[in-house]
Amino acid sequence: MTALRLGTRKSLMATTQSRRVGDELTRLTGHAVELVGVTTEGDISRAHLAQMGGTGVFVSALRDKLISGEVDFAVHSLKDLPTAPAEGITLAAVYRRDDPRDALCGPLKLADLPRGARVGTGSPRRVAQLRALRGDLEIVPIRGNADTRLRKVADGELDAVVLAYAGLGRIGRRDAVVEVFDPADMLPAPGQGALALECRSDRLDLIELLATVDHAPTRAAVTAERTVLAVLEAGCSAPVGAYATVEDSAEEEQPSLHLSACVAGIDGARQVRLSGSGHPERAEEIGRELAARLLAQGADQLMGERHIEPR
C-alpha cells in the first residue's frame, strides 16, 4: 500500500502536530503516512503577518503542493487557515482540539509583573487584551518560533511572552508556562488549538478516509468562531477573539454550542464582547448572528485601528 504524503511546514511544532495526525490516521485506517516538508512564505519572511497579507502566508505553499499532486493532504494549525474557501481544496477533517487558551511564559504571573515590564507577542488580539488587563505594560511585537520567543525571556530581553498553550504542549515546553489565561480575560484566536486537514476536492476517496479523524464537536465550535471572523471580514491583523464550546447537558436532551467573541481596540481601552448559543448544527448561523451584533455595536470601528510595528 502506497504511503499517503502529508504536507507540513518544517518547524518543530508543525512536524510534531502533523506526525500526531498521521499516526492517528494510520492507527484508524491502516494507511501509512509520510511527512513532506514544505517551506512557506511565512517561514522565510521576517515581516509582520499583517504586512504579508495575513495568516494565509503559512498556507498557500501547502495548497499549491496539493493542487499539483505533490502531496495528498496537508495539516495546518486551524487559526492559520483563511476563512475564504480555496478553489479545488476541501477541509476534509478537523482534528480533536487541544486546550485553546493563551499562556504567559516567564518568571512572574501577569498581576505580579512590575510596571513597564516588557511583554512580547506578535498578535494584535493579544496586544489589545493584554493592554485591557495591564495598561502599564510595554508590549513588544515579536516574531519567530516558540523557542525563539522563549529565549528572549531567558536572555532578559523580555520579561514575558504570550504563546498558545496547545502549541507549547505539542513541543514539550509547558514547563515555561507561569499562567494560563481564562477565556473570560483573554479570548483565544478563532480556531486556536485545532488542526485542519485539507485535500483536493476531487479526491473523494481521500476525503472519506480523512473523515475518520474528524471530531464533530471541534468542527462545530471552530465553524462558529471562524464564521464570526469571516463576517467581520477580519484576519490576523485584527484584534478579534472567539471561543466556542459544545456541551452535553444532563438537563437538556440536545447538545448546546456556546460562543463568545470580542473585538478590542488596539489600545485596550475599548472592546465589544458578546455571547450566543444554540444547537451545534446551527454553528454557522450562531456565528453570523453574533458577528452582526458585534458590528451593530461598533466592532468595525475598533478593527480599523492600526497595530504597532514589529521589531
Side-chain angles (χ1 to χ4, degrees):
M1 185 183 299
T2 304
L4 295 172
R5 298 161 300 170
L6 193 171
T8 177
R9 292 170 61 196
K10 296 179 181 179
S11 70
L12 173 61
M13 190 175 300
T15 55
T16 299
Q17 63 196 27
S18 293
R19 173 49 61 198
R20 178 178 170 189
V21 171
D23 288 347
E24 180 70 0
L25 193 64
T26 298
R27 186 184 71 82
L28 293 174
T29 69
H31 280 266
V33 176
E34 65 177 29
L35 266 56
V36 178
V38 177
T39 300
T40 71
E41 181 186 354
D43 296 314
I44 299 171
S45 175
R46 306 316 301 165
H48 193 270
L49 291 182
Q51 297 170 330
M52 293 188 289
T55 49
V57 297
F58 293 122
V59 174
S60 59
L62 286 165
R63 285 177 166 172
D64 289 344
K65 299 293 185 183
L66 286 174
I67 294 298
S68 69
E70 294 177 65
V71 300
D72 296 301
F73 71 106
V75 170
H76 314 276
S77 292
L78 189 56
K79 66 183 179 64
D80 290 341
L81 211 60
T83 55
E87 185 176 356
I89 301 291
T90 292
L91 177 58
V94 177
Y95 194 72
R96 180 187 294 269
R97 185 183 222 168
D98 288 324
D99 192 322
R101 295 176 295 173
D102 290 303
L104 186 72
C105 300
L108 298 173
K109 293 184 177 181
L110 188 70
D112 298 328
L113 288 171
R115 292 182 61 84
R118 293 163 57 83
V119 179
T121 177
S123 161
R125 171 189 60 83
R126 290 173 180 152
V127 170
Q129 295 187 91
L130 279 170
R131 286 175 170 164
L133 295 170
R134 285 286 307 269
D136 60 302
L137 298 176
E138 180 184 354
I139 309 300
V140 180
I142 56 173
R143 280 211 61 197
N145 60 36
D147 280 329
T148 298
R149 300 185 188 202
L150 291 172
R151 197 174 303 121
K152 292 180 182 293
V153 178
D155 293 345
E157 183 179 341
L158 298 171
D159 296 293
V161 293
V162 180
L163 297 167
Y165 190 53
L168 289 166
R170 289 169 190 158
I171 63 170
R173 290 307 313 269
R174 283 186 176 168
D175 61 294
V177 175
V178 68
E179 181 176 8
V180 181
F181 291 105
D182 190 295
D185 296 320
M186 185 175 291
L187 276 177
Q192 186 162 301
L195 300 175
L197 282 68
E198 286 191 325
C199 68
R200 279 172 37 168
S201 303
D202 60 0
R203 293 290 304 275
L204 300 183
D205 58 332
L206 188 54
I207 292 172
E208 182 178 356
L209 184 74
L210 297 179
T212 59
V213 298
D214 188 70
H215 188 244
T218 297
R219 182 183 277 267
V222 300
T223 295
E225 296 165 11
R226 285 165 53 77
T227 298
V228 171
L229 204 61
V231 174
L232 293 178
E233 297 183 350
C236 72
S237 60
V240 177
Y243 178 44
T245 58
V246 176
E247 301 172 1
D248 287 307
S249 172
E251 292 77 23
E252 300 177 11
E253 294 183 359
Q254 297 182 332
S256 181
L257 183 149
H258 303 278
L259 171 66
S260 295
C262 77
V263 179
I266 204 68
D267 60 1
R270 299 160 295 152
Q271 65 175 276
V272 180
R273 180 169 178 148
L274 298 170
S275 299
S277 61
H279 194 281
E281 292 180 356
R282 295 184 55 248
E284 185 173 342
E285 185 179 350
I286 294 167
R288 288 187 178 280
E289 292 172 351
L290 192 58
R293 290 166 55 203
L294 287 167
L295 289 170
Q297 295 198 21
D300 53 336
Q301 298 174 10
L302 297 180
M303 288 189 299
E305 297 179 353
R306 291 183 59 84
H307 177 49
I308 53 178
E309 297 299 324
R311 298 178 184 176

